[in-house]
Amino acid sequence: MALPWITAFLAGLLALHFLQRRFFPYFWADLIYFLKVVRYGLRIETYKRTGSVVTVVENFIQQAKRVPNKPFLIFQEQVHTYRDVDKRSNQVAQVFMKYSPLKKEDTVAMLMSNEPDFVNVWFGLAKLGFRVAFLNYNVRSRSLLHCFHSCGAKMLVVGADMLETLEEILPNLKEDNISVWVMAKEVSIPDVNTIMDKLELVTDEPVPKHLRHVTSIRAATLYIFTSGTTGLPKAALISQLQTLKGAAGIWAFGGREDDIVYITLPLYHSAASLIGIGGCIYLGATCVLKKKFSASQFWIDCKKHNVTVFQYIGELCRYLCNQPLKEGEKNHKVRMAVGNGVRSDVWKEFIRRFGDIKMCELYGATEGNICFMNHTGKIGSVGRSNIFYKLLFPFELIKYDIQKDEPIINKHGWCERVKKGETGLLISKVNQNNPFFGYAGNKNHTTKKLLCNVFRKGDVYFNTGDLMVQDHENFLYFRDRIGDTFRWKGENVATTEVADIIGMLNFIQEANIYGVAIPEHEGKVGMASIILKPEETLDVKGIYEQIVTYLPGYARPRFLRLQDNMEMTGTFKQQKFRLVEQGFNPSVVPDPLYFLDDSEKSYVPLTKDIYEKILSGQIKL
């Protein structure tokens, strides 16, 4: 008698399974991911209610007690255990507690490259309750000085390999009575303090716990610099909430305690510091830290250290795919890669060539209040939304006029949502659960990133500055940056900053900076349209010396276009749209074009031969 019922029940289950696979193919992946988000959200809610936050540094201290002898950092063949880093950072804290007059919540800036002492100094300062600013070591001179002052730092800690950069700004720091410390036993520069000698004189015992105690997840803990949409780099205020969210990223994608994570990205970036280092701490995993990315050394390191997870930006994956073919390229233990910005064609080629690696693409701005994670592995997508996710993190894609560089407003005075499949500007609602903390210093920078009265009076949204598309399966795809910023080599380039630097030359009347696309390259490379002052001549060597002195490599325009007049928009802004469309093809552009040639230490005329070599990849950018 029971057999027909059992048969019917099993048939029903089979039918449900078929319907789920046919009409809701991502149901289980969405559910598992959503439950992870809720689980972690409940933990953060507990911190809110109890007024006692288990910060990333506090979590590290707990892990150092739980697994003291486990390798935490592997750097240049040296292994640093969780206990080693805990004790070393205790010593850093002891040095500054003894020799520095600073107090809790003061800001200290760090100018250091990738090395274990970056983490030791960061954690040591955090144990004293200091806020820490990560300076981008590619930024030099005037821009670097701006970064330091914009975050209100009272002290600067410099790596031993950064002394040349320090000397460029030291006179200005001395004028402002800024205390400068170098990670060395001795230096020849006068009026600079050393750290390494003092580490030998202090204990490695913990400093008082109350110094690092945090009562609010909204409390500021870091400043990380971002180009934003205009001007010089801005100090994005990073709260404890943001560091905790970042630390859960690798875990949310399926990271485990036994993972070995390979980090080649610079630690001053939120990707490497918050997601990479923070993610290893959350898992209790091991990090293999690299000074700089090397395409030729990448897989050698992965095999040597049994790496299972690595971090990437899109360019990194392309560089690896461009390496000469070798035998045994799939003979490694890497199972997962976490990052952003990889093109669909590079993604497919990377998997085909290097094996079945789970590519965990994500989206998020350093200072933003929205994040997407492609938890399903859909090629080309930066993430996926659903009704549950949108309830927790409300966002919209709105119509945007690219030529006017502004949102489209309807006859009623409101913005309009795009339809699925259409490109729109991504905006994220600012509310109690999804705050926007803004930037240090100039409040105007914070205000400019907000859109008010978008759909109704009183609503506020964070403007990401990114154009995106959401398809009919709710996958999201990045399309482009808007306004005065483009992305090259994984970095945001602020066009107004570059224009200001070039505009300092006495023969330049006006400079218009924009990004142009290069086939087979991620992002856009910089190009400068320039107008000379009357009776002046073009000094290409002078421009070269200016940009090399004041701009990081990724921000230096690779192409120049010499124009007689600067075309303006109807709102008196520089016209970039047509310039971007015309690109750098000497057969199309009627004006003289020049190419940055590092071997000549100058700009040289952009010939058809050079143009074709760039397109074919013979000339590397």
Side-chain angles (χ1 to χ4, degrees), residues 295-310:
S296 60
Q297 191 68 28
F298 187 89
W299 292 111
I300 296 172
D301 286 343
C302 286
K303 292 175 184 179
K304 180 194 298 182
H305 298 293
N306 294 316
V307 169
T308 57
V309 179
F310 72 84

Side-chain angles (χ1 to χ4, degrees), residues 91-110:
Q91 287 179 295
V92 172
Q94 293 284 0
V95 166
F96 289 118
M97 188 167 68
K98 182 176 181 180
Y99 296 100
S100 167
L102 300 189
K103 60 185 185 300
K104 186 173 182 176
E105 295 187 359
D106 281 341
T107 299
V108 178
M110 290 173 52

Side-chain angles (χ1 to χ4, degrees), residues 51-105:
S52 182
V53 182
V54 180
T55 65
V56 170
V57 172
E58 191 66 43
N59 191 14
F60 168 77
I61 293 169
Q62 293 175 2
Q63 296 285 31
K65 292 176 180 176
R66 188 180 68 86
V67 286
N69 298 317
K70 182 172 183 177
F72 174 46
L73 298 174
I74 299 174
F75 181 79
Q76 296 179 349
E77 311 307 321
Q78 290 189 320
V79 176
H80 305 261
T81 66
Y82 275 83
R83 178 192 282 130
D84 293 336
V85 174
D86 187 34
K87 287 184 176 294
R88 176 80 160 184
S89 59
N90 284 344
Q91 287 179 295
V92 172
Q94 293 284 0
V95 166
F96 289 118
M97 188 167 68
K98 182 176 181 180
Y99 296 100
S100 167
L102 300 189
K103 60 185 185 300
K104 186 173 182 176
E105 295 187 359

Side-chain angles (χ1 to χ4, degrees), residues 149-173:
H149 288 303
S150 68
C151 63
K154 296 181 179 180
M155 186 169 77
L156 175 63
V157 179
V158 182
D161 57 344
M162 292 285 148
L163 295 183
E164 183 182 336
T165 304
L166 170 64
E167 288 183 291
E168 295 175 0
I169 62 172
L170 191 57
N172 299 84
L173 296 177

Side-chain angles (χ1 to χ4, degrees), residues 560-577:
L560 297 181
R561 176 173 177 171
L562 184 60
Q563 291 190 288
D564 294 325
N565 299 291
M566 192 68 71
E567 191 176 352
M568 309 299 284
T569 68
T571 53
F572 303 102
K573 294 178 181 177
Q574 290 177 335
Q575 174 62 262
K576 299 179 190 286
F577 187 73

Side-chain angles (χ1 to χ4, degrees), residues 307-483:
V307 169
T308 57
V309 179
F310 72 84
Q311 282 192 282
Y312 70 87
I313 54 172
E315 285 291 282
L316 187 151
C317 295
R318 186 177 66 82
Y319 293 151
L320 293 175
C321 288
N322 286 345
Q323 286 291 294
L325 286 166
K326 294 180 181 178
E327 286 187 21
E329 288 186 327
K330 295 182 181 180
N331 297 334
H332 55 74
K333 295 185 178 179
V334 175
R335 64 181 184 84
M336 193 165 80
V338 179
N340 67 280
V342 63
R343 291 200 322 256
S344 296
D345 58 333
V346 175
W347 188 328
K348 292 173 185 175
E349 170 62 15
F350 189 85
I351 293 172
R352 184 198 66 77
R353 181 166 165 182
F354 299 112
D356 188 20
I357 298 171
K358 180 184 177 184
M359 303 297 287
C360 303
E361 183 81 358
L362 55 81
Y363 168 87
T366 298
E367 75 277 37
N369 68 338
I370 186 71
C371 173
F372 298 118
M373 300 176 74
N374 184 352
H375 57 276
T376 65
K378 180 72 173 284
I379 291 178
S381 171
V382 300
R384 175 174 153 80
S385 179
N386 55 56
I387 188 170
F388 304 111
Y389 191 81
K390 204 166 182 179
L391 284 172
L392 294 174
F393 308 103
F395 70 92
E396 301 292 346
L397 298 179
I398 61 172
K399 293 180 179 180
Y400 193 83
D401 189 319
I402 297 174
Q403 295 196 44
K404 290 184 179 179
D405 195 20
E406 61 187 22
I408 294 173
I409 306 298
N410 64 22
K411 63 182 181 181
H412 303 294
W414 309 117
C415 293
E416 290 190 352
R417 298 171 177 86
V418 299
K419 297 176 182 177
K420 286 189 175 180
E422 294 180 349
T423 299
L425 173 67
L426 173 66
I427 59 175
S428 173
K429 193 164 190 177
V430 177
N431 55 30
Q432 187 71 18
N433 293 324
N434 300 289
F436 170 57
F437 295 97
Y439 308 99
N442 192 336
K443 288 185 178 179
N444 193 38
H445 290 153
T446 299
T447 305
K448 281 184 176 180
K449 289 297 291 184
L450 297 175
L451 295 176
C452 301
N453 304 320
V454 177
F455 301 113
R456 60 181 62 85
K457 191 172 181 179
D459 64 6
V460 180
Y461 284 79
F462 170 72
N463 179 2
T464 66
D466 291 326
L467 296 174
M468 302 186 78
V469 173
Q470 185 171 8
D471 68 14
H472 292 278
E473 291 185 312
N474 291 319
F475 285 100
L476 290 133
Y477 301 84
F478 175 81
R479 285 292 177 260
D480 208 349
R481 295 281 296 170
I482 65 166

